[in-house]
Amino acid sequence: MGIIIALIPAIAWGSIGLVSGKLGGNAYQQTLGMTFGALVFGIGTFIVAQPTLDTRVWLFGILSGLFWSLGQSQQFQAMKYIGVSLTVPMSTGMQLVANTLAGALLFAEWQTTKMVVLGLLALFALIAGAVLTSRTEKTGEAGITNYSAGIRTLIISTVGYAGYTIVVKAAALGASAVVLPQAVGMVIGALLFSIGHHAFSKATAKNVVTGLLWGTGNVFMLMAMADVGLAVAYSLSQMGIVISTFGSIFLLGEKKTHKEMIWIAWGSVLIIAGGVLLGIMK
């Protein structure tokens, strides 16, 4: 049951790019709209679940949301330096490494030799799959303007994304309790990072929908973390790259060459294989 719960974020988060692509807006409008949607979702979750929100939950929840905003904003910045085709696979791979190692080393989630071997094999398959699915022949589509700056911003982005989940895991916060404080932190962070980027528009309002979708994935990811651990839950959530990749081709009409489709197919196989290995671990 825990594995099924852990796959829901992959479906929800893997669909966000497709939905936001249809809704339009620049990166800052999409991010800010997403955080507003997450806030609406958080308020709804609070009303329905009525969790206890003490000072500790608010503090760590907002901190987690701020970390997420850091990760999201720096990922967009990296795209300016090294292009989308390099940023997406490298960011996904770095996030997987950070969260999987955090689960294994900080929270001792891999306790046997078998789990270590399967976990490392799954991690390798997921990273290799992410690289293949995002590989492109269109080298001129988004040029590399500053490779070293791109790597630096990706490292900061990874720290943000990792902090978003590690804070919740370390503080042992309940899934229903942390959602609202986390969303507040996301909005605060998104507002700060969007200063000077014309973030308020109709597109921002439209992208509230993506926030509701993100919120759904977030709740189930937090539930999965409590059930199957951070390493497995976060890695499975990244399997959504298969949905976003094929969805962008068949729903958004992105063009791919024959060689790119072969890379995507093999990359998808590796990602699914990595997910199966993680399932075997549990």
Side-chain angles (χ1 to χ4, degrees):
M1 186 63 183
I3 297 297
I4 295 176
I5 293 175
L7 286 172
I8 293 176
I11 298 172
W13 290 350
S15 304
I16 285 176
L18 308 178
V19 175
S20 61
K22 288 290 185 181
L23 296 175
N26 63 34
Y28 296 95
Q29 292 164 351
Q30 290 172 337
T31 302
L32 191 58
M34 185 187 299
T35 61
F36 286 150
L39 181 60
V40 171
F41 188 93
I43 293 172
T45 301
F46 174 76
I47 293 173
V48 173
Q50 296 185 345
T52 300
L53 299 182
D54 55 22
T55 303
R56 181 172 174 275
V57 174
W58 275 107
L59 178 63
F60 286 106
I62 290 175
L63 179 61
S64 173
L66 289 172
F67 267 121
W68 179 90
S69 296
L70 175 65
Q72 187 69 56
S73 65
Q74 291 303 296
Q75 187 184 76
F76 285 138
Q77 188 62 42
M79 291 177 183
K80 294 181 181 180
Y81 290 132
I82 61 176
V84 177
S85 62
L86 277 180
T87 297
V88 172
M90 290 179 71
S91 179
T92 300
M94 291 167 76
Q95 288 178 58
L96 286 169
V97 170
N99 281 278
T100 301
L101 291 181
L105 301 177
L106 296 180
F107 306 116
E109 293 175 355
W110 296 355
Q111 298 180 349
T112 66
T113 301
K114 178 183 177 181
M115 293 181 74
V116 171
V117 172
L118 288 176
L120 291 176
L121 285 174
L123 187 60
F124 173 79
L126 288 165
I127 294 173
V131 171
L132 282 174
T133 54
S134 300
R135 192 176 178 184
T136 176
E137 289 187 293
K138 301 173 183 177
T139 55
E141 183 178 3
I144 298 176
T145 59
N146 193 330
Y147 189 82
S148 60
I151 296 300
R152 285 197 300 271
T153 54
L154 271 180
I155 291 173
I156 298 172
S157 173
T158 302
V159 170
Y161 280 131
Y164 142 69
T165 52
I166 291 173
V167 166
V168 175
K169 178 70 175 179
L173 303 179
S176 60
V178 74
V179 173
L180 180 56
Q182 195 176 59
V184 171
M186 288 168 60
V187 171
I188 293 172
L191 286 171
L192 291 174
F193 288 120
S194 66
I195 293 175
H197 294 285
H198 308 290
F200 289 93
S201 70
K202 290 183 179 179
T204 306
K206 290 181 180 179
N207 275 281
V208 167
V209 175
T210 64
L212 298 175
L213 196 59
W214 184 89
T216 301
N218 185 47
V219 167
F220 282 100
M221 216 277 287
L222 296 173
M223 291 170 59
M225 280 170 54
D227 194 355
V228 299
L230 172 61
V232 174
Y234 197 84
S235 296
L236 285 175
S237 74
Q238 297 306 299
M239 291 178 67
I241 193 174
V242 176
I243 297 173
S244 59
T245 300
F246 282 101
S248 65
I249 296 170
F250 296 110
L251 297 179
L252 299 182
E254 291 188 5
K255 304 298 182 183
K256 297 292 180 181
T257 66
H258 177 70
K259 186 177 289 187
E260 287 171 348
M261 287 302 296
I262 293 176
W263 290 332
I264 289 170
W266 279 111
S268 299
V269 169
L270 285 172
I271 290 172
I272 293 171
V276 171
L277 284 173
L278 290 173
I280 292 174
M281 284 176 61
K282 291 295 179 178

